[in-house]
Amino acid sequence: MRETAHADDLLEWYDRHARVLPWRVSPADRARGIAPDPYRVWMSEIMLQQTTVAAVKEYFLAFTERWPKVEDLANAEDADVMAAWAGLGYYARARNLLKCARQIAGEFAGIFPTDHKVLLSLPGVGPYTAAAIASIAFDQPRVVVDGNVERVMSRLHDEHAPLPGSKPVLTDYAEALTPKARAGDYAQAVMDLGATVCTPKNPACGICPWRAPCKARQAGTAADLPKKSPKKRKPTRYGVAYLARRVDGAWLLETRPDKGLLGGMLGWPGSDWTEDTPLADPPIRAEWKTINEEARHTFTHFHLRLTVKTALVPMERPPERGMFVEDLDPSDLPTVMRKALALVPKR
Ligand code: SF4
């Protein structure tokens, strides 16, 4: 075993232990010349932004079965895509997914660009995602640094400077190791090592292909790395949601504005979410009852406590905002809206 970390040692390990994932081409197939489908690589990378592999799998399979090619997705109705995304969170990604699919279908004749700069110009594609697509789909030696890679690099080099400040240094370490050949396999191999061996709490150093050169293993500091700067405390915001059910069972909903949190998704009419007392007029005249329990949800930057009010309304009464939706499928709602619905007693 080499005393300095080398990509070949990891690739050899990857050839035997690569995770089987629905968007992946196995190293054996790749060696036989089977290239990954850039559409599937792109879709998986967008879904994986701030979301776990376990949560993404089901959505990825549903999306690619329903819209197998980028043109299919480009032609989809916005509401169908937003509903299919419901529950996955970070809904700006779904809006960008559609925008990007339409751009690829329209401007690029359905063919994903291979140029890194052009990839970076696509909606929803930032530096990490552009590097991941260039590397995984097109085998370009781009430096791909996600949380797994940061962990592995900080441990390999026993780097104690805290994240996010240490990111440039960890990126330099990652760049130094990225090989020219098999760059796509290598990018996925480091991610797999971080996800299955060099795990956050109990790294399995005994079976790691980089155990000999790893400085944190030698120093006994692996489980303490990477260090992170203390997080700011999340504020709590408050809101009111009005859940009106018509006597025929239809629910009063509205499509949230495109810009902002949960933009373009279906939701309950209600107040803004603020750190002060929330104010909102009911969306329809009715005898509103407040449910004892709040719907609670945590977003990236704040905790939300939502007061849920509910009312039964007659058929003929028109709403002042929103529209009645018959046969509501709760899975079309974002998680926080589902939590509010779950508090309403069943009739
Ligand atoms: Fe991670 Fe341990 Fe491998 Fe070092 S030896 S890279 S700490 S699993």
Side-chain angles (χ1 to χ4, degrees), residues 10-25:
L10 184 65
L11 283 165
E12 197 181 292
W13 170 86
Y14 181 70
D15 287 340
R16 285 176 283 124
H17 300 289
R19 284 180 293 175
V20 177
L21 298 170
W23 47 87
R24 277 263 176 100
V25 169

mmCIF file of all heavy atoms in Angstrom, residues 10-25:
data_model
loop_
_atom_site.group_PDB
_atom_site.id
_atom_site.type_symbol
_atom_site.label_atom_id
_atom_site.label_comp_id
_atom_site.label_asym_id
_atom_site.label_seq_id
_atom_site.Cartn_x
_atom_site.Cartn_y
_atom_site.Cartn_z
ATOM 1 N N LEU A 10 -7.841 4.205 -4.961
ATOM 2 C CA LEU A 10 -9.280 4.391 -4.745
ATOM 3 C C LEU A 10 -10.075 3.776 -5.900
ATOM 4 O O LEU A 10 -11.118 3.147 -5.689
ATOM 5 C CB LEU A 10 -9.590 5.884 -4.614
ATOM 6 C CG LEU A 10 -11.043 6.192 -4.288
ATOM 7 C CD1 LEU A 10 -11.418 5.672 -2.908
ATOM 8 C CD2 LEU A 10 -11.310 7.692 -4.347
ATOM 9 N N LEU A 11 -9.595 3.957 -7.115
ATOM 10 C CA LEU A 11 -10.314 3.410 -8.279
ATOM 11 C C LEU A 11 -10.369 1.876 -8.223
ATOM 12 O O LEU A 11 -11.387 1.275 -8.578
ATOM 13 C CB LEU A 11 -9.652 3.885 -9.579
ATOM 14 C CG LEU A 11 -9.991 5.338 -9.936
ATOM 15 C CD1 LEU A 11 -9.034 5.881 -10.999
ATOM 16 C CD2 LEU A 11 -11.441 5.460 -10.417
ATOM 17 N N GLU A 12 -9.294 1.293 -7.758
ATOM 18 C CA GLU A 12 -9.272 -0.167 -7.631
ATOM 19 C C GLU A 12 -10.333 -0.623 -6.622
ATOM 20 O O GLU A 12 -11.038 -1.601 -6.820
ATOM 21 C CB GLU A 12 -7.879 -0.571 -7.146
ATOM 22 C CG GLU A 12 -7.540 -2.037 -7.335
ATOM 23 C CD GLU A 12 -6.153 -2.279 -6.795
ATOM 24 O OE1 GLU A 12 -5.177 -1.766 -7.391
ATOM 25 O OE2 GLU A 12 -6.060 -2.939 -5.742
ATOM 26 N N TRP A 13 -10.453 0.125 -5.534
ATOM 27 C CA TRP A 13 -11.478 -0.156 -4.523
ATOM 28 C C TRP A 13 -12.878 0.059 -5.132
ATOM 29 O O TRP A 13 -13.786 -0.753 -4.945
ATOM 30 C CB TRP A 13 -11.253 0.774 -3.322
ATOM 31 C CG TRP A 13 -12.361 0.767 -2.314
ATOM 32 C CD1 TRP A 13 -12.511 -0.098 -1.269
ATOM 33 C CD2 TRP A 13 -13.485 1.671 -2.254
ATOM 34 N NE1 TRP A 13 -13.650 0.203 -0.554
ATOM 35 C CE2 TRP A 13 -14.273 1.301 -1.147
ATOM 36 C CE3 TRP A 13 -13.902 2.762 -3.019
ATOM 37 C CZ2 TRP A 13 -15.439 1.945 -0.789
ATOM 38 C CZ3 TRP A 13 -15.073 3.414 -2.665
ATOM 39 C CH2 TRP A 13 -15.821 3.011 -1.563
ATOM 40 N N TYR A 14 -13.016 1.131 -5.892
ATOM 41 C CA TYR A 14 -14.319 1.472 -6.506
ATOM 42 C C TYR A 14 -14.765 0.380 -7.476
ATOM 43 O O TYR A 14 -15.949 0.054 -7.553
ATOM 44 C CB TYR A 14 -14.179 2.819 -7.231
ATOM 45 C CG TYR A 14 -15.439 3.329 -7.903
ATOM 46 C CD1 TYR A 14 -16.522 3.781 -7.160
ATOM 47 C CD2 TYR A 14 -15.529 3.374 -9.301
ATOM 48 C CE1 TYR A 14 -17.658 4.269 -7.777
ATOM 49 C CE2 TYR A 14 -16.670 3.873 -9.922
ATOM 50 C CZ TYR A 14 -17.730 4.320 -9.154
ATOM 51 O OH TYR A 14 -18.857 4.799 -9.768
ATOM 52 N N ASP A 15 -13.817 -0.185 -8.205
ATOM 53 C CA ASP A 15 -14.179 -1.251 -9.154
ATOM 54 C C ASP A 15 -14.871 -2.414 -8.434
ATOM 55 O O ASP A 15 -15.692 -3.105 -9.022
ATOM 56 C CB ASP A 15 -12.924 -1.766 -9.881
ATOM 57 C CG ASP A 15 -12.417 -0.751 -10.898
ATOM 58 O OD1 ASP A 15 -13.206 0.127 -11.300
ATOM 59 O OD2 ASP A 15 -11.233 -0.824 -11.282
ATOM 60 N N ARG A 16 -14.570 -2.610 -7.189
ATOM 61 C CA ARG A 16 -15.173 -3.720 -6.437
ATOM 62 C C ARG A 16 -16.361 -3.283 -5.582
ATOM 63 O O ARG A 16 -17.234 -4.091 -5.294
ATOM 64 C CB ARG A 16 -14.115 -4.379 -5.530
ATOM 65 C CG ARG A 16 -13.127 -5.246 -6.315
ATOM 66 C CD ARG A 16 -12.030 -5.810 -5.447
ATOM 67 N NE ARG A 16 -11.033 -4.809 -5.141
ATOM 68 C CZ ARG A 16 -10.649 -4.458 -3.918
ATOM 69 N NH1 ARG A 16 -11.185 -5.044 -2.878
ATOM 70 N NH2 ARG A 16 -9.739 -3.524 -3.727
ATOM 71 N N HIS A 17 -16.378 -2.005 -5.168
ATOM 72 C CA HIS A 17 -17.370 -1.612 -4.154
ATOM 73 C C HIS A 17 -18.290 -0.470 -4.576
ATOM 74 O O HIS A 17 -18.983 0.088 -3.720
ATOM 75 C CB HIS A 17 -16.647 -1.195 -2.865
ATOM 76 C CG HIS A 17 -15.815 -2.277 -2.270
ATOM 77 N ND1 HIS A 17 -16.360 -3.384 -1.660
ATOM 78 C CD2 HIS A 17 -14.469 -2.445 -2.220
ATOM 79 C CE1 HIS A 17 -15.387 -4.178 -1.237
ATOM 80 N NE2 HIS A 17 -14.237 -3.636 -1.575
ATOM 81 N N ALA A 18 -18.309 -0.107 -5.843
ATOM 82 C CA ALA A 18 -19.151 1.030 -6.270
ATOM 83 C C ALA A 18 -20.606 0.795 -5.859
ATOM 84 O O ALA A 18 -21.128 -0.316 -5.996
ATOM 85 C CB ALA A 18 -19.065 1.201 -7.783
ATOM 86 N N ARG A 19 -21.237 1.855 -5.352
ATOM 87 C CA ARG A 19 -22.667 1.732 -5.031
ATOM 88 C C ARG A 19 -23.472 1.590 -6.318
ATOM 89 O O ARG A 19 -23.117 2.193 -7.342
ATOM 90 C CB ARG A 19 -23.163 2.997 -4.304
ATOM 91 C CG ARG A 19 -22.747 3.078 -2.863
ATOM 92 C CD ARG A 19 -23.276 4.337 -2.204
ATOM 93 N NE ARG A 19 -22.663 5.545 -2.763
ATOM 94 C CZ ARG A 19 -23.009 6.788 -2.433
ATOM 95 N NH1 ARG A 19 -23.988 6.991 -1.568
ATOM 96 N NH2 ARG A 19 -22.406 7.829 -2.973
ATOM 97 N N VAL A 20 -24.522 0.781 -6.245
ATOM 98 C CA VAL A 20 -25.417 0.670 -7.399
ATOM 99 C C VAL A 20 -26.516 1.711 -7.207
ATOM 100 O O VAL A 20 -27.272 1.648 -6.246
ATOM 101 C CB VAL A 20 -26.028 -0.756 -7.474
ATOM 102 C CG1 VAL A 20 -27.017 -0.852 -8.621
ATOM 103 C CG2 VAL A 20 -24.917 -1.788 -7.617
ATOM 104 N N LEU A 21 -26.563 2.690 -8.101
ATOM 105 C CA LEU A 21 -27.553 3.761 -7.993
ATOM 106 C C LEU A 21 -28.246 3.917 -9.344
ATOM 107 O O LEU A 21 -27.614 3.697 -10.384
ATOM 108 C CB LEU A 21 -26.859 5.077 -7.603
ATOM 109 C CG LEU A 21 -26.136 5.057 -6.241
ATOM 110 C CD1 LEU A 21 -25.291 6.302 -6.039
ATOM 111 C CD2 LEU A 21 -27.159 4.932 -5.121
ATOM 112 N N PRO A 22 -29.532 4.291 -9.319
ATOM 113 C CA PRO A 22 -30.294 4.266 -10.576
ATOM 114 C C PRO A 22 -29.760 5.199 -11.667
ATOM 115 O O PRO A 22 -30.076 5.015 -12.833
ATOM 116 C CB PRO A 22 -31.716 4.651 -10.170
ATOM 117 C CG PRO A 22 -31.661 5.090 -8.754
ATOM 118 C CD PRO A 22 -30.381 4.619 -8.161
ATOM 119 N N TRP A 23 -28.977 6.196 -11.314
ATOM 120 C CA TRP A 23 -28.449 7.121 -12.331
ATOM 121 C C TRP A 23 -27.019 6.770 -12.727
ATOM 122 O O TRP A 23 -26.400 7.453 -13.526
ATOM 123 C CB TRP A 23 -28.484 8.560 -11.812
ATOM 124 C CG TRP A 23 -27.940 8.721 -10.429
ATOM 125 C CD1 TRP A 23 -26.638 8.916 -10.075
ATOM 126 C CD2 TRP A 23 -28.682 8.690 -9.215
ATOM 127 N NE1 TRP A 23 -26.524 9.001 -8.716
ATOM 128 C CE2 TRP A 23 -27.767 8.874 -8.155
ATOM 129 C CE3 TRP A 23 -30.044 8.526 -8.892
ATOM 130 C CZ2 TRP A 23 -28.159 8.891 -6.823
ATOM 131 C CZ3 TRP A 23 -30.417 8.549 -7.562
ATOM 132 C CH2 TRP A 23 -29.497 8.727 -6.556
ATOM 133 N N ARG A 24 -26.504 5.718 -12.146
ATOM 134 C CA ARG A 24 -25.097 5.372 -12.346
ATOM 135 C C ARG A 24 -24.885 4.415 -13.507
ATOM 136 O O ARG A 24 -25.722 3.557 -13.777
ATOM 137 C CB ARG A 24 -24.583 4.609 -11.122
ATOM 138 C CG ARG A 24 -24.153 5.427 -9.951
ATOM 139 C CD ARG A 24 -22.663 5.622 -9.955
ATOM 140 N NE ARG A 24 -22.246 6.502 -8.878
ATOM 141 C CZ ARG A 24 -21.744 6.072 -7.726
ATOM 142 N NH1 ARG A 24 -21.604 4.778 -7.515
ATOM 143 N NH2 ARG A 24 -21.384 6.936 -6.802
ATOM 144 N N VAL A 25 -23.717 4.505 -14.140
ATOM 145 C CA VAL A 25 -23.222 3.432 -15.001
ATOM 146 C C VAL A 25 -22.091 2.780 -14.201
ATOM 147 O O VAL A 25 -21.198 3.483 -13.705
ATOM 148 C CB VAL A 25 -22.696 4.010 -16.339
ATOM 149 C CG1 VAL A 25 -21.938 2.959 -17.123
ATOM 150 C CG2 VAL A 25 -23.858 4.550 -17.161
#
